[in-house]
């Protein structure tokens, strides 16, 4: 399965990337599983509070990722 990962705000500083193509052998992976894999690569993310969106919609951690999904890692943001 191949997915696109996008990072925003302070998460770009940690990953040193705005976007990357990520391949997984797993065909049935949840957002929680992906989060664990990414936090293994970018350990500083473990200390961060961030949200995850799949295909431009906020996602729960139990959502099953599909091939070609776009996953966005979003830092905390304030509105007004």
């Amino acid at each position: 399965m191949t997915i696109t990962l996008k990072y925003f705000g302070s998460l770009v500083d940690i990953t040193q990337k705005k976007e990357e193509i990520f391949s997984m052998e797993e065909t049935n992976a949840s957002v929680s599983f992906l989060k664990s894999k990414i936090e293994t690569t970018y350990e500083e993310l473990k200390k961060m509070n961030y949200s995850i969106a799949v295909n431009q919609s906020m996602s729960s951690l139990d959502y099953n990722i599909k091939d070609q999904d776009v996953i966005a890692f979003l830092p905390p943001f304030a509105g007004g």
Side-chain angles (χ1 to χ4, degrees), residues 4-56:
T4 302
L5 307 180
K6 295 186 175 199
Y7 306 100
F8 294 89
S10 58
L11 304 181
V12 173
D13 296 334
I14 293 169
T15 63
Q16 298 295 302
K17 300 175 183 180
K18 289 185 176 183
E19 183 174 309
E20 67 180 309
I21 303 300
F22 192 78
S23 295
M24 293 191 301
E25 291 182 20
E26 297 80 10
T27 56
N28 190 19
S30 66
V31 170
S32 179
F33 177 80
L34 175 64
K35 182 176 189 264
S36 294
K37 285 189 79 88
I38 296 304
E39 288 180 352
T40 298
T41 303
Y42 306 109
E43 291 190 11
E44 204 171 325
L45 288 178
K46 291 178 184 176
K47 303 174 198 169
M48 299 282 301
N49 188 13
Y50 59 91
S51 300
I52 299 174
V54 177
N55 301 325
Q56 299 181 352

